[in-house]
């Protein structure tokens, strides 16, 4: 098993790279949008200091190689449009969790699918993961669609797991095994 180093990955339209200090304004623009945190048990950021704290934590994660945390930027123009994170690694079990967000102005263009695909490919092929888990609010249909397009399977349902903006919210548990990933890649080439 490798350590959890965050490399630079390139896809057709995106660059996935480590966050850096001067991403604070770009990150704040994404996570200060209530639409982005609509299904999260956290409020939208109200001050740039939230972004600075998040970046400081990411930099610690890079230093300690505990999380693979990508900033996602457009190849064309270099704008920061989202983040993808492989985190909560269980080294012994070759397993981790997946988190992601895309700025709402860029939804529906396939960017989440493209970025997450690159991150997962890195996780299965380079890091040696066997299983990736995601849990989402069942009302978050775009997120469920992204996971299912990438080959994740629904594995469970946990009622009232989170308190989301003052209301209990359910969770759908999704899982992706390396064997599903390899099969999907073999079919698609
Ligand atoms: C979930 C999220 C990352 C998707 O980003 P995106 O770049 O728009 O995703 P993509 O364009 O790759 O794919 C979205 C898919 O969902 C579909 N979709 C969008 N809205 C939908 C809805 N209301 N119902 C059903 N499907 C929907 C799109 O049509 C697309 O599927 P398709 O390729 O088959 O047409 C984005 O909405 C987001 O950042 N949301 C807020 C943060 C979040 O919820 N993160 C994940 C959960 S922790």
């Amino acid at each position: 098993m490798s350590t959890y180093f965050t490399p630079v990955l390139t896809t057709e339209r995106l660059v996935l790279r480590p966050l850096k200090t001067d991403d604070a304004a770009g990150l704040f623009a994404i996570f200060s949008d209530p639409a982005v945190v609509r299904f999260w048990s956290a409020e939208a950021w109200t001050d740039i200091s939230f972004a600075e704290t998040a970046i400081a934590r990411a930099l610690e994660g890079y230093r300690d190689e505990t999380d693979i945390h990508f900033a996602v930027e457009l190849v064309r123009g270099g704008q920061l449009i989202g983040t993808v994170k492989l985190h909560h690694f269980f080294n012994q079990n070759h397993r981790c969790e997946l988190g992601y967000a895309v700025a709402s102005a860029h939804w529906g263009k396939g960017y989440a699918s493209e970025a997450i695909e690159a991150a997962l490919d890195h996780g299965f092929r380079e890091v040696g993961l066997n299983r990736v888990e995601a849990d989402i609010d069942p009302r978050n249909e775009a997120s469920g669609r992204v996971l299912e397009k990438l080959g994740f399977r629904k594995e469970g349902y946990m009622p009232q797991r989170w308190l989301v903006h003052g209301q209990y919210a359910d969770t759908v548990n999704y899982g992706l095994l390396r064997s599903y990933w390899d099969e999907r890649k073999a079919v698609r080439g």
Side-chain angles (χ1 to χ4, degrees), residues 84-109:
V84 174
K85 190 170 174 182
L86 296 172
H87 63 126
H88 285 150
F89 283 92
F90 287 78
N91 188 33
Q92 185 197 329
N93 307 300
H94 302 171
R95 162 162 69 85
C96 74
E97 294 173 21
L98 170 70
Y100 46 89
V102 167
S104 61
H106 294 278
W107 288 355
K109 298 175 185 164

Side-chain angles (χ1 to χ4, degrees), residues 36 40 100-102 107-108 110 112-113 140-143 145-146 149:
V36 169
W40 286 3
Y100 46 89
V102 167
W107 288 355
S113 308
N140 194 349
E141 294 181 48
S143 190
R145 175 79 189 125
V146 167
K149 278 197 293 182

Side-chain angles (χ1 to χ4, degrees), residues 23-166:
D23 286 322
L27 206 60
F28 180 66
I30 298 169
F31 291 100
S32 58
D33 178 353
V36 169
V37 300
R38 179 172 165 218
F39 298 115
W40 286 3
S41 62
E43 300 304 320
W45 293 352
T46 50
D47 189 274
I48 189 90
S49 62
F50 286 79
E52 290 162 355
T53 303
I55 291 170
R57 280 207 203 103
L59 297 181
E60 270 176 39
Y62 301 146
R63 187 196 60 209
D64 301 339
E65 300 193 338
T66 50
D67 290 337
I68 298 179
H69 191 167
F70 295 107
V72 178
E73 68 177 33
L74 296 175
V75 166
R76 202 178 284 178
Q79 186 189 350
L80 179 68
I81 61 151
T83 59
V84 174
K85 190 170 174 182
L86 296 172
H87 63 126
H88 285 150
F89 283 92
F90 287 78
N91 188 33
Q92 185 197 329
N93 307 300
H94 302 171
R95 162 162 69 85
C96 74
E97 294 173 21
L98 170 70
Y100 46 89
V102 167
S104 61
H106 294 278
W107 288 355
K109 298 175 185 164
Y111 289 138
S113 308
E114 188 170 323
I116 298 166
E117 170 139 26
L120 290 171
D121 215 43
H122 174 73
F124 287 122
R125 288 168 195 251
E126 304 300 330
V127 183
L129 289 169
N130 182 58
R131 174 178 168 83
V132 178
E133 298 175 353
D135 73 73
I136 68 162
D137 188 314
R139 297 170 297 172
N140 194 349
E141 294 181 48
S143 190
R145 175 79 189 125
V146 167
L147 292 175
E148 287 173 17
K149 278 197 293 182
L150 290 165
F152 279 81
R153 299 187 191 175
K154 270 186 200 164
E155 297 177 333
Y157 196 93
M158 300 166 90
Q160 299 190 12
R161 185 155 185 251
W162 302 102
L163 188 59
V164 173
H165 312 304

